[in-house]
Amino acid sequence: MPPYVASLRPYVAGRSPEEVAATYSLSRVVKLSSNENPLGASPLALARMRESLDQLNRYPTGLDLRGCLAEKFGTKIDNVVTGSGSESIMANIVRTFLSDQDEALTSAGTFMGFEILARGRGIPIRTVPLRQDWHIDLEALALAINERTKIIYLANPNNPTGTIFTKQEFDAFYKHVPPHVLIILDEAYFEYAKDNARYPDSLFYRYDNIITLRTFSKIYGLAGVRIGYGFAHADLIANLMKIKLPFEPSTFGNAAGIGALDDREFLNHSLQSNARGMRIVSEGLASLGFNPVVSEANFLMLPCEGSDEAERFTQSLVERGVIIRHLAGFGLPSCVRISIGTDSENQFLLETAQQGLVTAHR
Ligand SMILES: Cc1ncc(COP(=O)(O)O)c(C=O)c1O
């Protein structure tokens, strides 16, 4: 086994509600740890998936969903790639464009998926610390580019901080990026941020060295289906297609994506529910003495006094039936991340947080 694989550890998924309920003998457990849509899946996606049942004996071409994405976002089918989750497209980018001499660059305190994929290929990855205000530091990243840098990975909004970098910040950063360096703009939480006038929707940045990644896992509630998509210059897409497994994503994934793209009602309902929950949870946590980081996504990051406090707070909530995420694995051991739930889940979280706080501070 190559040493860079031997040194990796398998992904440890968060705790499941069933396991937590059994361990602590709880009648109610809510999962607010994976930034999923708490309202369920898009009904139109589910309807399309049901309709696709009689085609399951055939291999999918994927052209139908790619065509719908091209039409909806005003681009050509040659500029669209799909995959089994946006992370699968990320894996194909790593396999397609990185070779032994290359390095990758990203921020500390960001989604770990890209870093793990790069390390799994033995690609060195350098990180730049977050700014004091928990935002990605684009100025420092621009300065960190060197002659070996091949890919820069940026999540906007960023997971787990929920922060965005602005159009102005991105424009200034882009001027420092050499044309042979590929920028991955991971917009997994795009729909939550798109109406913010300062948010740089990457489809307005159709530069040749930018690849946009998006997903149906979050706002469309399809995390379990594994379906994501991306946009880039036709040459980049053509090269990705050489590496991508030919029949990925599945017939179900394609059908779900097509249905979801039509589901404006579910999209709007999910956005409204999230905005309401974000306000209630932020205010509620602030009244308990926390200082949540302002978020443009469907989750909130809470800095705690230290790593012990963050760990104890997480544990005391889990024992009372609210699963949240301690961010030690993201390199932010003094922080926790809480996904926004349904109205009733948010209420349960706030009641539980109040009790958990008493314990955590003892
Ligand atoms: C920033 C970011 N990118 C990508 C993903 C993975 O998305 P997908 O389910 O499409 O693979 C996540 C999931 O948490 C994420 O937070």
Side-chain angles (χ1 to χ4, degrees):
M1 200 193 314
Y4 51 82
V5 175
S7 66
L8 292 175
R9 271 175 287 159
Y11 179 74
V12 182
R15 299 178 76 171
S16 75
E18 295 74 23
E19 187 246 315
V20 169
T23 308
Y24 303 108
S25 308
L26 297 165
S27 56
R28 183 178 193 191
V29 178
V30 304
K31 183 170 176 246
L32 301 178
S33 51
S34 299
N35 306 341
E36 296 147 336
N37 188 332
L39 303 177
S42 144
L44 294 191
L46 295 179
R48 278 284 187 158
M49 288 171 76
R50 278 187 211 104
E51 282 168 25
S52 75
L53 284 176
D54 62 1
Q55 291 150 33
L56 292 183
N57 56 321
R58 305 285 178 203
Y59 287 106
T61 65
L63 287 172
D64 41 2
L65 175 58
R66 287 176 69 205
C68 287
L69 285 161
E71 196 181 316
K72 179 168 172 94
F73 292 101
T75 180
K76 298 203 189 85
I77 199 165
D78 295 350
N79 299 111
V80 182
V81 64
T82 52
S84 298
S86 55
E87 233 184 321
S88 175
I89 306 173
M90 236 185 267
N92 287 331
I93 295 172
V94 166
R95 291 167 67 207
T96 306
F97 297 110
L98 289 173
S99 54
D100 288 351
Q101 290 74 36
D102 297 330
E103 282 183 6
L105 181 63
T106 189
S107 175
T110 193
F111 180 63
M112 298 297 290
F114 177 75
E115 177 165 346
I116 292 165
L117 288 166
R119 288 200 191 288
R121 275 284 319 277
I123 303 291
I125 179 156
R126 289 183 305 125
T127 58
V128 161
L130 288 170
R131 291 187 336 208
Q132 287 283 317
D133 62 359
W134 306 105
H135 284 62
I136 288 181
D137 193 339
L138 287 186
E139 282 181 26
L141 277 163
L143 292 173
I145 298 169
N146 67 21
E147 63 287 350
R148 295 182 68 169
T149 307
K150 177 63 86 59
I151 291 188
I152 304 176
Y153 169 80
L154 300 172
N156 200 37
N158 186 36
N159 174 13
T161 58
T163 55
I164 58 165
F165 49 80
T166 64
K167 287 176 184 163
Q168 219 179 4
E169 287 169 339
F170 185 73
D171 287 342
F173 165 77
Y174 187 77
K175 291 196 184 106
H176 296 274
V177 182
H180 70 274
V181 174
L182 180 63
I183 304 172
I184 302 176
L185 283 181
D186 181 346
E187 297 180 341
Y189 304 95
F190 158 79
E191 294 85 357
Y192 299 99
K194 69 179 176 9
D195 296 328
N196 182 333
R198 301 168 74 214
Y199 177 71
D201 173 347
S202 68
L203 287 196
F204 291 109
Y205 291 88
R206 287 297 61 175
Y207 302 141
D208 293 352
N209 60 339
I210 291 186
I211 181 157
T212 298
L213 295 183
R214 292 188 186 163
T215 185
F216 290 102
S217 296
K218 304 298 177 182
I219 193 106
Y220 291 108
L222 295 167
V225 180
R226 312 306 302 127
I227 177 77
Y229 58 99
F231 301 105
H233 189 286
D235 291 348
L236 292 181
I237 300 290
N239 282 304
L240 278 175
M241 290 297 182
K242 297 178 193 165
I243 293 298
K244 183 180 105 49
L245 294 178
F247 302 117
E248 179 198 327
S250 70
T251 298
F252 271 150
N254 283 301
I258 293 169
L261 285 177
D262 275 343
D263 209 341
R264 291 185 69 88
E265 196 180 323
F266 184 73
L267 179 81
N268 290 335
H269 179 47
S270 300
L271 283 174
Q272 281 164 15
S273 167
N274 185 67
R276 186 169 63 240
M278 183 65 80
R279 195 176 57 250
I280 290 169
V281 171
S282 311
E283 288 172 7
L285 290 170
S287 74
L288 294 177
F290 285 105
N291 197 6
V293 177
V294 175
S295 169
E296 306 285 339
N298 63 344
F299 55 86
L300 267 181
M301 190 172 87
L302 280 190
C304 301
E305 276 164 33
S307 51
D308 286 354
E309 284 80 0
E311 197 176 343
R312 258 184 289 153
F313 182 60
T314 307
Q315 183 56 23
S316 65
L317 259 63
V318 169
E319 286 169 12
R320 289 173 171 79
V322 180
I323 309 175
I324 62 169
R325 186 70 144 234
H326 179 213
L327 296 177
F330 284 73
L332 299 167
S334 64
C335 298
V336 302
R337 190 192 65 199
I338 303 177
S339 308
I340 301 301
T342 60
D343 292 339
S344 141
E345 288 172 344
N346 296 332
Q347 209 51 51
F348 186 49
L349 158 76
L350 290 175
E351 287 159 17
T352 311
Q354 192 159 18
Q355 297 162 11
L357 204 58
V358 178
T359 319
H361 277 181
R362 226 177 4 217

